[in-house]
Amino acid sequence: MTAAKVVSRSELLREFRRSKSGLAGAGILLVLILMTTYAAVAVPLESFRQWNNPNFWIDTPKSAAPAWTNLFGPKVPEHIFMTAKDAAVSSSVQGGVRTVTHSYTVNFNYDSYPSDFMMLYSARYGSTQPALQIDVLRPDGKEFRIYFASLPSSQQGSNEFSARVFSTDRLIADNLRNYLDDFAYRQDVSRPQVMIFSDSQQDSVLKGTYVIRETFYLFDSNDSVTNSGVILGGEVYGLMGTDELRHDLAIGILWGAPVALFIGLTVSIAGMIIGLIYGVIAGYKGNRTDEGLMRINDVFYSLPPLPLLIILSITVGKSIFLITGFLVIFGWVGMAKISRSIALQLKNLQYVEAAKLMGQSDRKIIFKHIIPQLLPLTFASIAISVPGAILGEAMLSFLGLGDPSIPTWGQILHDANSAGAASRGLWWWIIPPGLMIAITGLAFVLIGNALDAIVNPRSRRM
């Protein structure tokens, strides 16, 4: 960038369209923009806001591999989440008691057992609490009644109660003891997800169609069942799998794109604008102004960015906006030196001298006659500095100094490192965010190098 020349914007665009590497970088950037648009339009915003809320992710499995890995090797259970929309609902009245049954049909054809299961329900009732019964009809025709209990009593007249029955519930283990004799080998009732899905004659998975029924006994005509659901914990889930905290990593990767672009572009644009104006003022004014401004620039240039960023993150805060501001503090010094050196040349050109003779103010000459000539160089500098800003945020997040409340690629890598994902073989937790950081940096490097080759004759010859 030291031998940069002044080129017009039209020439810059014309030359850029001829650069294959620049077009490749622009293509990758377009994909990132599409990811950002998709995240903003199609992914619920609540998943971004609730990224660190464990209750929000309770329905997804823990440390599950991507679902497409089932195409290779043993077919492990896929995480199954069925809501009331998937249930066949029936009701009847007998002896003044109304029963409402939600039946879920599950085709279980995997080579291993579910990791756990949960039954969801929600009911609205008055002073007489309903009862809930859960039955499982197996492919071999055997039917297990695994749960029967009354719902909690109403506190203030009519109310709505929602809860989950977990596979670890003591009542399930107690009820399964009644079916131990149905098996030709020993079963462990403390692992109901294994016993329910086991073949009764041999120690293996019983494949086939299961029907899980949630039957509600309602004793008042105004009582109603408002929701139900079944979750079978699996070992594979979604496009990118999940992490130890049950985060859907596909959503984290998608939300990481706008965050990375925001940080990279904000830091680069702000840093380049500050450096451009600062350097031009120093070069144009000269003398003591130039000397004073460049000594301040030298002070910032000599500061070690990483230790200071760590200190600022610890002492001031870890908000994403604060981190962006910290990166801007160190992002303008290089551009200031470059723009100063070019301003020293431009201020002696005839059209600048003519503007001075016409009585135009220094501010008008700087912003109307000098800075516009440096815009192509500024575009190249912005593109080149974006990867540094993205890597800076990723580095702070990886060290545990990033904003923990939002999903960023660096934060995902930090969580993976903290959980020992590499030693546990959870590659899907490490490779995708690492690749996204590398690809995003590559896109701006390709664009920046293409622009640099246009505005810098020495680079173009190389």
Side-chain angles (χ1 to χ4, degrees):
M1 302 290 292
T2 55
K5 74 165 190 175
V6 177
V7 297
S8 66
R9 278 168 284 184
S10 59
E11 182 184 359
L12 181 74
L13 292 173
R14 186 173 60 252
E15 292 293 331
F16 185 80
R17 284 195 287 266
R18 295 174 181 172
S19 171
K20 293 181 180 178
S21 63
L23 293 177
I28 298 173
L29 179 60
L30 178 61
V31 173
L32 292 170
I33 293 173
L34 290 176
M35 285 178 62
T36 300
T37 305
Y38 180 80
V41 173
V43 180
L45 183 60
E46 205 63 17
S47 63
F48 181 85
R49 294 173 175 167
Q50 302 291 335
W51 183 254
N52 268 353
N53 181 2
N55 292 329
F56 184 82
W57 301 99
I58 194 171
D59 294 335
T60 50
K62 182 186 293 185
S63 304
W68 50 265
T69 56
N70 258 348
L71 298 174
F72 315 97
K75 192 174 181 182
V76 298
E78 186 171 354
H79 188 76
I80 298 173
F81 180 25
M82 306 177 78
T83 65
K85 296 179 181 177
D86 305 309
V89 181
S90 61
S91 62
S92 63
V93 178
Q94 187 173 8
V97 178
R98 186 160 53 96
T99 60
V100 177
T101 303
H102 288 203
S103 301
Y104 292 90
T105 301
V106 179
N107 292 315
F108 196 83
N109 295 299
Y110 302 104
D111 299 326
S112 57
Y113 301 100
S115 57
D116 55 16
F117 62 80
M118 284 184 279
M119 309 296 175
L120 292 65
Y121 65 88
S122 181
R124 184 178 291 114
Y125 52 91
S127 56
T128 306
Q129 62 265 40
L132 170 62
Q133 175 180 310
I134 300 175
D135 303 284
V136 178
L137 179 60
R138 293 158 38 103
D140 57 4
K142 297 182 184 300
E143 185 169 353
F144 292 173
R145 178 168 297 174
I146 63 172
Y147 186 87
F148 185 87
S150 297
L151 273 58
S153 60
S154 173
Q155 298 296 322
Q156 295 178 351
S158 179
N159 70 336
E160 183 168 348
F161 182 78
S162 301
R164 296 165 182 256
V165 177
F166 293 88
S167 56
T168 53
D169 194 292
R170 182 181 55 81
L171 287 178
I172 293 179
D174 292 341
N175 282 287
L176 285 177
R177 295 183 199 281
N178 300 324
Y179 305 101
L180 287 174
D181 293 339
D182 292 347
F183 291 86
Y185 57 98
R186 184 176 181 182
Q187 276 290 355
D188 183 3
V189 295
S190 66
R191 301 174 64 199
Q193 70 275 16
V194 174
M195 183 174 173
I196 292 173
F197 290 88
S198 288
D199 191 294
S200 59
Q201 299 303 313
Q202 54 186 352
D203 190 2
S204 63
V205 177
L206 178 63
K207 299 180 180 178
T209 301
Y210 291 78
V211 178
I212 301 172
R213 289 197 294 263
E214 296 184 27
T215 303
F216 298 86
Y217 294 91
L218 307 175
F219 303 100
D220 191 286
S221 58
N222 294 323
D223 294 350
S224 62
V225 179
T226 55
N227 196 15
S228 69
V230 171
I231 297 177
L232 289 182
E235 298 178 35
V236 296
Y237 178 81
L239 183 63
M240 294 286 184
T242 63
D243 61 15
E244 185 77 7
L245 304 174
R246 300 178 184 267
H247 295 136
D248 185 344
L249 290 174
I251 292 178
I253 296 296
L254 280 172
W255 280 125
V259 174
L261 291 179
F262 165 76
I263 294 172
L265 292 175
T266 301
V267 172
S268 301
I269 292 173
M272 291 306 108
I273 290 175
I274 293 172
L276 174 67
I277 296 173
Y278 189 96
V280 169
I281 291 174
Y284 179 78
K285 288 288 188 181
N287 301 325
R288 292 183 178 180
T289 302
D290 182 25
E291 186 70 20
L293 290 176
M294 295 320 294
R295 293 295 77 77
I296 296 173
N297 179 269
D298 290 340
V299 170
F300 276 91
Y301 206 83
S302 62
L303 294 175
L306 179 57
L308 290 174
L309 285 172
I310 293 175
I311 293 171
L312 288 171
S313 297
I314 294 174
T315 56
V316 179
K318 299 179 181 179
S319 161
I320 193 68
F321 299 106
L322 286 175
I323 291 174
T324 302
F326 299 155
L327 292 171
V328 170
I329 293 174
F330 301 98
W332 62 274
V333 288
M335 185 61 189
K337 286 185 176 295
I338 296 171
S339 58
R340 171 188 174 270
S341 66
I342 298 178
L344 288 172
Q345 303 170 30
L346 293 178
K347 75 176 185 179
N348 296 319
L349 295 181
Q350 290 183 348
Y351 73 94
V352 177
E353 294 290 345
K356 291 179 182 176
L357 293 174
M358 293 172 64
Q360 293 186 2
S361 65
D362 291 344
R363 178 183 299 178
K364 189 172 183 179
I365 292 172
I366 288 173
F367 286 96
K368 186 175 181 180
H369 299 297
I370 297 181
I371 287 182
Q373 302 301 320
L374 296 176
L375 289 181
L377 171 65
T378 306
F379 294 149
S381 300
I382 288 173
I384 290 174
S385 63
V386 167
I390 294 174
L391 287 174
E393 186 279 332
M395 178 179 58
L396 287 175
S397 296
F398 183 75
L399 295 174
L401 301 173
D403 190 339
S405 63
I406 62 174
T408 68
W409 298 329
Q411 190 65 41
I412 293 174
L413 286 175
H414 166 70
D415 293 339
N417 184 56
S418 300
S423 60
R424 296 166 58 192
L426 307 181
W427 56 266
W428 59 89
W429 198 355
I430 304 169
I431 295 178
L435 273 179
M436 290 308 301
I437 293 174
I439 289 173
T440 305
L442 176 65
F444 285 99
V445 167
L446 291 174
I447 294 172
N449 285 343
L451 293 174
D452 189 34
I454 296 169
V455 300
N456 187 342
R458 179 178 299 177
S459 298
R460 181 156 49 182
R461 285 196 298 271
M462 293 173 66

